[in-house]
Amino acid sequence: MEDLPKALVTEILKRITSTSDLNSLSLVSKQLYKIEGNQRCAIYVGSGLCTATKALTSLCARFPNLRKVEIDYSGFIPGHGKQLDNKGLFVFSSHCSSLTDLTLSFCSCIDDSGPRCLAYCKTLVSLRLNSAPKITSIGLFSVAVGCTSLSALHLIDCEKIDSVEWLEYLGRDGSLKELVVKNCKGINHRDFLKFGSGWMKLQKFEFERKRGIDDRLLGDMVYDSSYNAHSMDIYDFCCDSLKDLRLAHIKTWPEVGLRVVLGKCKALEKLCLEYVHALNDNDMIALSRSCNNLKSILLCLNLQCYSSDVSYCETRTSFTDNSLYAIALNCPMLQIVDLRFTRCSRDWPLEIGFTQKGFLTLIQSCPIHVLVLNNANFFDDEGMKAVSSSPHLETLELILCHAVTDAGMRFIAHTPCLSNLILRACHNITGVGIAELGRAHKLESLVIEDCGEISLQATQGVIKSVHYSSKFSDALKK
């Protein structure tokens, strides 16, 4: 190896992706040690990291061209030693001159002095703080002022960040392209209206409110189903660059807050709304009219109380067929539809605002490639028959769809492009329906979980790739 040209050795090392293999190879010779160290651009460290200043300085000298550093203390216990503190973070920020991406997870020994150190990182583009219990808004403001190249900021479970001077500053600067805030109890969705002109360049925005015990309850709040938050442009900002939007567990009543964003996203491609309170058809209609580039939509809907006059109140999910008709009419590029309904009883089908007629209008109007239905009580075998004619459908996932039976399987088996089928807790489908799939010889992948009437033997020989389990997967439980 010592006789090989340096350029060739460098190229060989670039093709090795395993960190353990790179570590082993670097011990073979001084040449490999130096070359591998110079080209290593990312490291992931945790409880095994020696936090002594001399050791950290040596680590940075070993890898002088680090661009991405992730420090993760998840699962840490006192017996694991010392965590990285402010002094250690200063070593990284002052010695890694090429650092562009930094993630700090469960770093309980870093307070506001730590983020101040990051002012040295003029090249820092992305910062992720995950469960940083001692960092407050003061430290975050230091980052906003000092890290002039910052374009991506993620804040997750940061309990002490409350005031939003940092957000106003970043809004005036206008450099952020990605902003994710999840489970930070001091930050409200209305605070983001202070982001001002910063919305113009933002391409990805995600906000998830920290939930409390009362979130599981229906509550006694009644929302106005005819209220239109988009009839007047009361907030002077635009989101022309926003492509990816996720809002979760926020309450948009009586203050309007972030719901106004839905009518301002001209470039939106991916939308995720999870249990957003008080939304109605006017919000979805405004969104569909403003963004005809929409490619993916995920709606997680639960029961809420709505009324258009004082004499009548109905308990249902947020949107009705009017929303589906608007999307079908205005979003011709829609490819992924994921509809999930929580605590909706199959004995009360009107609890879901959608009907099968409205749903099929959407499916037949857009080039749907991926369809996920969870607890969609309106969807039955006739729906399966209509979906089976979808020319672009490749993946279908049904969860708790009790009205779908073996007859539906007979229809879906002949869907032109269907290659992936996932069935979870669909208790009215039996081995007879699975046999229909085998006779069609079209599927490439079949997943069956917690479908009590389907045995493991019934899946044998249907297709080559079958995953079978008598229980829900962990991902579904979440």
Side-chain angles (χ1 to χ4, degrees):
M1 291 290 284
E2 297 286 354
D3 298 329
L4 292 177
K6 181 178 179 181
L8 178 59
V9 175
T10 301
E11 185 61 33
I12 292 173
L13 290 175
K14 285 181 180 179
R15 297 173 183 269
I16 301 175
T17 57
S18 169
T19 301
S20 59
D21 290 343
L22 287 170
N23 290 338
S24 299
L25 197 59
S26 66
L27 300 176
V28 173
S29 69
K30 291 183 179 180
Q31 181 193 30
L32 287 174
Y33 182 87
K34 184 176 181 180
I35 294 175
E36 192 276 326
N38 284 333
Q39 78 169 34
R40 183 82 70 94
C41 62
I43 60 170
Y44 173 95
V45 292
S47 300
L49 176 68
C50 180
T51 58
T53 300
K54 185 176 181 180
L56 293 175
T57 304
S58 176
L59 179 68
C60 293
R62 166 82 173 90
F63 305 116
N65 297 313
L66 285 177
R67 295 195 294 273
K68 181 176 181 179
V69 174
E70 181 173 354
I71 301 170
D72 185 357
Y73 284 106
S74 57
F76 179 85
I77 58 175
H80 289 162
K82 293 183 178 181
Q83 283 196 13
L84 186 80
D85 57 14
N86 297 322
K87 292 181 180 179
L89 188 58
F90 175 75
V91 173
F92 275 110
S93 60
S94 58
H95 286 75
C96 300
S97 58
S98 301
L99 186 64
T100 60
D101 191 322
L102 175 63
T103 299
L104 302 176
S105 297
F106 302 94
C107 296
S108 58
C109 293
I110 294 178
D111 57 24
D112 287 336
S113 298
R116 291 194 194 104
C117 301
L118 298 179
Y120 289 92
C121 300
K122 300 301 181 183
T123 59
L124 191 67
V125 172
S126 175
L127 174 64
R128 294 172 176 83
L129 300 178
N130 181 12
S131 189
K134 293 185 178 180
I135 295 178
T136 73
S137 298
I138 296 172
L140 201 55
F141 187 79
S142 301
V143 172
V145 174
C147 300
T148 54
S149 298
L150 193 68
S151 66
L153 177 63
H154 290 221
L155 305 174
I156 303 171
D157 288 313
C158 295
E159 296 287 331
K160 290 192 174 182
I161 295 176
D162 44 25
S163 61
V164 289
E165 287 86 356
W166 58 274
L167 184 63
E168 295 178 19
Y169 186 92
L170 288 172
R172 291 193 298 270
D173 179 63
S175 62
L176 276 191
K177 295 182 180 179
E178 184 174 315
L179 178 58
V180 174
V181 179
K182 297 165 60 177
N183 299 327
C184 298
K185 67 179 182 180
I187 303 176
N188 190 283
H189 72 100
R190 296 182 297 275
D191 294 330
F192 294 97
L193 298 177
K194 301 176 183 178
F195 194 45
S197 58
W199 284 101
M200 176 67 77
K201 289 187 179 180
L202 205 62
Q203 296 179 14
K204 177 179 179 178
F205 177 71
E206 181 176 342
F207 177 69
E208 179 176 338
R209 181 181 65 88
K210 189 175 181 65
R211 285 166 280 173
I213 298 176
D214 60 332
D215 283 87
R216 297 181 178 272
L217 305 175
L218 178 59
D220 56 2
M221 180 67 73
V222 179
Y223 306 121
D224 185 354
S225 60
S226 62
Y227 177 74
N228 191 346
H230 313 277
S231 58
M232 296 183 296
D233 194 0
I234 57 177
Y235 297 105
D236 185 22
F237 66 88
C238 59
C239 314
D240 289 352
S241 300
L242 195 63
K243 295 182 179 181
D244 188 341
L245 173 64
R246 178 177 178 261
L247 303 177
H249 304 283
I250 68 174
K251 298 179 180 180
T252 64
W253 186 267
E255 295 99 342
V256 175
L258 280 177
R259 76 191 294 177
V260 299
V261 174
L262 296 174
K264 296 174 177 285
C265 308
K266 295 180 180 179
L268 194 66
E269 296 180 0
K270 182 179 180 181
L271 173 66
C272 178
L273 298 176
E274 299 180 32
Y275 312 112
V276 179
H277 290 247
L279 294 182
N280 59 40
D281 287 331
N282 289 323
D283 297 295
M284 194 60 69
I285 291 170
L287 180 135
S288 68
R289 288 173 176 171
S290 66
C291 55
N292 56 15
N293 292 322
L294 191 66
K295 296 178 181 178
S296 173
I297 184 169
L298 185 153
L299 302 178
C300 294
L301 305 174
N302 56 3
L303 295 179
Q304 300 177 30
C305 296
Y306 285 91
S307 176
S308 57
D309 60 63
V310 294
S311 61
Y312 177 71
C313 176
E314 58 181 338
T315 301
R316 60 169 173 81
T317 54
S318 301
F319 307 114
T320 71
D321 284 350
N322 291 330
S323 292
L324 298 179
Y325 294 146
I327 297 172
L329 179 64
N330 299 311
C331 302
M333 300 176 66
L334 189 63
Q335 298 179 13
I336 301 174
V337 174
D338 190 336
L339 304 177
R340 305 181 180 220
F341 306 94
T342 301
R343 296 185 178 88
C344 296
S345 172
R346 53 179 163 174
D347 297 325
W348 301 93
L350 293 182
E351 287 183 340
I352 295 179
F354 299 149
T355 68
Q356 184 157 267
K357 179 183 177 182
F359 169 72
L360 293 179
T361 298
L362 173 65
I363 298 303
Q364 293 167 348
S365 301
C366 302
I368 306 300
H369 290 237
V370 177
L371 175 60
V372 180
L373 295 175
N374 187 333
N375 201 25
N377 299 325
F378 57 81
F379 188 69
D380 59 18
D381 291 335
E382 287 300 312
M384 291 284 274
K385 181 179 180 180
V387 167
S388 69
S389 63
S390 300
H392 305 284
L393 187 64
E394 299 173 359
T395 298
L396 174 63
E397 180 172 357
L398 301 178
I399 307 165
L400 292 164
C401 290
H402 301 295
V404 176
T405 71
D406 292 337
M409 290 293 102
R410 191 178 307 117
F411 293 129
I412 209 68
H414 300 285
T415 308
C417 295
L418 188 67
S419 57
N420 306 296
L421 178 63
I422 302 101
L423 303 174
R424 294 187 168 110
C426 295
H427 298 299
N428 289 320
I429 300 174
T430 72
V432 175
I434 299 303
E436 295 287 345
L437 301 175
R439 281 191 280 272
H441 301 293
K442 286 190 175 183
L443 286 183
E444 296 177 5
S445 171
L446 175 63
V447 175
I448 297 175
E449 294 184 352
D450 193 32
C451 296
E453 300 301 317
I454 303 174
S455 66
L456 177 60
Q457 290 74 20
T459 66
Q460 303 300 314
V462 175
I463 58 171
K464 291 183 178 179
S465 176
V466 177
H467 168 80
Y468 180 90
S469 174
S470 59
K471 299 179 180 180
F472 276 149
S473 65
D474 291 338
L476 182 62
K477 290 178 182 179
K478 294 178 182 178

